[in-house]
Amino acid sequence: GNWSLFVGNTMGSLREYDLRKLPTCKAPDVVPGRKRHLDLANRLLPMRRGYRGIMGSIRSVDVHCSGSCLAAVGLGRFAYVFETRRRKMVSKVFLKQKLCSVLLSEEPYTGVSTADAKGSDDDSDVTGDEKAKEGGEGEEEDAVAEDEVQEGFSDDEEAGGGDNGGEPQEGEDGDDDDGDIEAAAAVAKRRRMPKRRRRGG
């Protein structure tokens, strides 16, 4: 059969090497690390395919028992599934954690349906909950528009101030905020100042 070796590195590069010539390999008679040694390695262990689209360091690779697909995970927090013959990424899932191992089951791989393949490019990072919510986007946008608050302002002032939009009422001092800001600046300045050491004498 066509035996292969799958190798991933810390730069997100995943390659497949052909092992058909491995039984006839002998110890090289050239100096390791030189160009002739690299050429010999490329002849005896040729690279068959490279897989693109992986982000971050690869920590584990597992190939399905049928050899038709493989999964790769790593520190980029994504799990990638590739079809080995076409070098095509068929799935990319964000798993929220840095991953160090992956294991594929022995269930038969049936491939990706055409509907999934079309949606995989657009919705590769969308979870099932988000897809279900996409139907009611208009209602959500209205709710989000009501909840928007400008940066630096708070709805609490409006609630406490009544209908006057948070303006200070009669008897209230509008300069309290300025005093609070100045006090906070003074505390921050004291923290930044280096402490002076006392000299004993």
Side-chain angles (χ1 to χ4, degrees):
N2 294 334
W3 289 93
S4 296
L5 173 68
F6 293 88
V7 179
N9 65 12
T10 59
M11 302 297 291
S13 177
L14 179 61
R15 295 177 178 172
E16 178 183 356
Y17 290 94
D18 191 353
L19 297 180
R20 283 180 287 187
K21 295 183 180 178
L22 190 62
T24 60
C25 286
K26 296 180 181 177
D29 56 352
V30 296
V31 179
R34 303 295 173 105
K35 188 174 185 320
R36 286 184 58 211
H37 186 253
L38 180 63
D39 293 340
L40 177 66
N42 286 335
R43 280 197 313 273
L44 296 178
L45 195 68
M47 188 181 85
R48 183 181 288 174
R49 300 179 184 96
Y51 299 89
R52 296 185 178 202
I54 297 178
M55 176 180 62
S57 174
I58 299 172
R59 291 304 168 107
S60 180
V61 177
D62 192 25
V63 182
H64 192 267
C65 59
S66 66
S68 58
C69 67
L70 69 93
V73 298
L75 300 183
R77 301 173 192 235
F78 281 91
Y80 304 90
V81 179
F82 292 92
E83 287 186 349
T84 54
R85 296 193 188 276
R86 297 189 298 161
R87 298 187 309 172
K88 182 179 179 184
M89 183 189 301
V90 294
S91 183
K92 174 182 170 184
V93 182
F94 183 69
L95 297 176
K96 299 182 182 179
Q97 295 179 13
K98 294 178 181 179
L99 306 163
C100 60
S101 61
V102 63
L103 180 65
L104 287 176
S105 68
E106 292 185 2
E107 295 178 15
Y109 176 71
T110 57
V112 179
S113 65
T114 55
D116 291 341
K118 288 179 183 177
S120 64
D121 294 336
D122 301 333
D123 302 332
S124 60
D125 296 340
V126 178
T127 61
D129 295 338
E130 291 171 351
K131 286 182 181 178
K133 292 178 184 177
E134 284 179 0
E137 279 185 11
E139 297 171 4
E140 286 183 13
E141 288 175 2
D142 295 339
V144 169
E146 292 175 6
D147 290 342
E148 285 183 9
V149 176
Q150 291 182 353
E151 188 173 332
F153 296 96
S154 172
D155 284 344
D156 296 339
E157 293 174 2
E158 294 174 7
D163 295 334
N164 59 2
E167 296 291 328
Q169 296 178 357
E170 292 181 20
E172 286 186 5
D173 188 8
D175 295 331
D176 286 345
D177 292 338
D178 294 337
D180 292 342
I181 292 171
E182 290 172 4
V187 170
K189 186 176 180 182
R190 273 187 262 139
R191 287 183 183 163
R192 281 183 273 160
M193 290 176 53
K195 295 181 180 178
R196 295 181 184 169
R197 294 183 180 177
R198 294 183 184 176
R199 293 184 181 176

